[in-house]
Amino acid sequence: MDKNKKIINGLLILAAIQIVLLIAVNLFSFNSIKARKADKMLLKNASAKNITKVKIWDKIDGFTLTKEKDAWYVSVEEDGKNQLLPGDQKKILDYIEILASLNEGTVIYRGSDTSSDSAYGFTETNTRNVEVYVGDKKPQALQLGSNGNIKKSTYLRFAGDSKIRMVNSDIAQKTDRIYKDWTRREILPGVAFNDIEAVKFSGDCEFLKDEYSVKKQISETDKKEAYVIDPAVSGEIDQSAVGIMLGKIVNLKADNFKFTGTVEGKEVVAQVEILCKGGKSHTVTFYRATDDNDVGDFIAATTIDNYLYLFHDDTLTGAFKNSSDLVKKN
């Protein structure tokens, strides 16, 4: 009797072990399938190299990121005309990489009730539409909702599809709504701080009311390289202040672009000439903005490109200094 009882107990234990193993295998298989599905690419045949255009719009506005000759531009409709602006290459390339690497994620809601859309950020004011062009294929249209409930995730769906997915990407956060946030607004692209040999300033306006030049030369006292100002200023030159000012000017970023009109006949209020190593020079000329549609106080034109840049007064005031402001204070 005891022997039979032991055999039965042994069989029960063995059966229990088999059940546990079976559940574990099935669970592992289900999770593996789910993971493989989540890792499947969302956009068909898309890669960072063959995406050629991306349209982004919401309820209020829209623009297009477009690739021409391996460079990215921002195309926007302004004043009834299509304007092609220089793109922020790094930002756009990073975004294209995000699009190309989007996975199918996990379907978390099948959209049987549209009243639940708002819970995932699909509202009239929040939804961003993204249309991706891969080569000459038909565009693939996405709608972006809010951030997902786990870190760096987003709720999205295909346009016209009720299924809402959660993907492992923070693409919602990366999809800026304003066109100028995608543009290259530095007015001196390609000019490096260490390449500057001298800068000539001339101005009679709110942000610059002086005429002088700054250059580097070897000091006769300690034989070290230092900035000198011509004409000479009264007092010791604040080397750090000069370096900070030049750094701000080299990296000066416009507040916006001027789309219509020219600078012909406008008042020149300031000019900056930058002399670089190798004999290269670049000139920036500032004009007072007077057109009704100028969203800024000053217009800048450079010898580097043909764009016209708009600046608010406080942007330029924070960058430029008169020569007397470059002297150490007692």
Side-chain angles (χ1 to χ4, degrees), residues 87-199:
D88 182 332
Q89 300 302 305
K90 184 179 185 311
K91 178 171 181 170
I92 295 176
L93 287 172
D94 287 347
Y95 187 72
I96 297 301
E97 190 66 49
I98 290 172
L99 285 172
S101 60
L102 280 176
N103 55 56
E104 281 193 343
T106 306
V107 175
I108 57 169
Y109 185 68
R110 297 198 171 271
S112 56
D113 180 8
T114 56
S115 64
S116 299
D117 283 1
S118 60
Y120 302 101
F122 295 102
T123 63
E124 190 177 13
T125 55
N126 185 67
T127 301
R128 274 144 294 176
N129 300 280
V130 179
E131 205 168 71
V132 184
Y133 290 73
V134 178
D136 57 357
K137 304 295 183 183
K138 184 180 177 180
Q140 301 176 63
L142 303 174
Q143 289 186 323
L144 308 181
S146 58
N147 297 332
N149 59 9
I150 61 175
K151 190 175 181 181
K152 288 191 175 182
S153 65
T154 298
Y155 297 124
L156 61 72
R157 63 188 176 192
F158 283 104
D161 189 356
S162 60
K163 294 195 292 290
I164 296 174
R165 305 168 181 272
M166 185 173 71
V167 297
N168 298 322
S169 169
D170 57 352
I171 188 171
Q173 282 185 306
K174 303 290 187 183
T175 308
D176 289 326
R177 301 171 185 268
I178 302 173
Y179 73 85
K180 72 175 185 178
D181 292 337
W182 296 87
T183 59
R184 185 273 295 159
R185 302 198 308 280
E186 291 81 7
I187 67 172
L188 293 167
V191 179
F193 176 81
N194 291 331
D195 288 339
I196 296 176
E197 290 192 336
V199 182

Side-chain angles (χ1 to χ4, degrees), residues 7-163:
I7 292 172
I8 292 171
N9 287 339
L11 292 172
L12 289 173
I13 292 170
L14 183 62
I17 292 172
Q18 287 177 328
I19 291 171
V20 170
L21 288 173
L22 185 61
I23 291 173
V25 169
N26 286 337
L27 184 61
F28 177 78
S29 298
F30 173 76
N31 286 336
S32 295
I33 293 170
K34 189 176 178 181
R36 285 197 300 272
K37 189 174 181 180
D39 286 339
K40 190 177 178 181
M41 292 298 99
L42 183 71
L43 298 175
K44 292 180 180 179
N45 304 315
S47 71
K49 290 184 178 180
N50 64 14
I51 293 177
T52 56
K53 185 165 66 173
V54 180
K55 288 185 178 180
I56 299 174
W57 74 95
D58 60 11
K59 178 188 175 183
I60 299 173
D61 217 344
F63 55 91
T64 302
L65 308 177
T66 182
K67 188 178 182 182
E68 294 189 9
K69 295 181 180 179
D70 294 327
W72 284 92
Y73 295 85
V74 180
S75 176
V76 60
E77 188 83 12
E78 284 288 339
D79 299 322
K81 294 181 180 180
N82 185 57
Q83 308 286 347
L84 199 62
L85 305 174
D88 182 332
Q89 300 302 305
K90 184 179 185 311
K91 178 171 181 170
I92 295 176
L93 287 172
D94 287 347
Y95 187 72
I96 297 301
E97 190 66 49
I98 290 172
L99 285 172
S101 60
L102 280 176
N103 55 56
E104 281 193 343
T106 306
V107 175
I108 57 169
Y109 185 68
R110 297 198 171 271
S112 56
D113 180 8
T114 56
S115 64
S116 299
D117 283 1
S118 60
Y120 302 101
F122 295 102
T123 63
E124 190 177 13
T125 55
N126 185 67
T127 301
R128 274 144 294 176
N129 300 280
V130 179
E131 205 168 71
V132 184
Y133 290 73
V134 178
D136 57 357
K137 304 295 183 183
K138 184 180 177 180
Q140 301 176 63
L142 303 174
Q143 289 186 323
L144 308 181
S146 58
N147 297 332
N149 59 9
I150 61 175
K151 190 175 181 181
K152 288 191 175 182
S153 65
T154 298
Y155 297 124
L156 61 72
R157 63 188 176 192
F158 283 104
D161 189 356
S162 60
K163 294 195 292 290

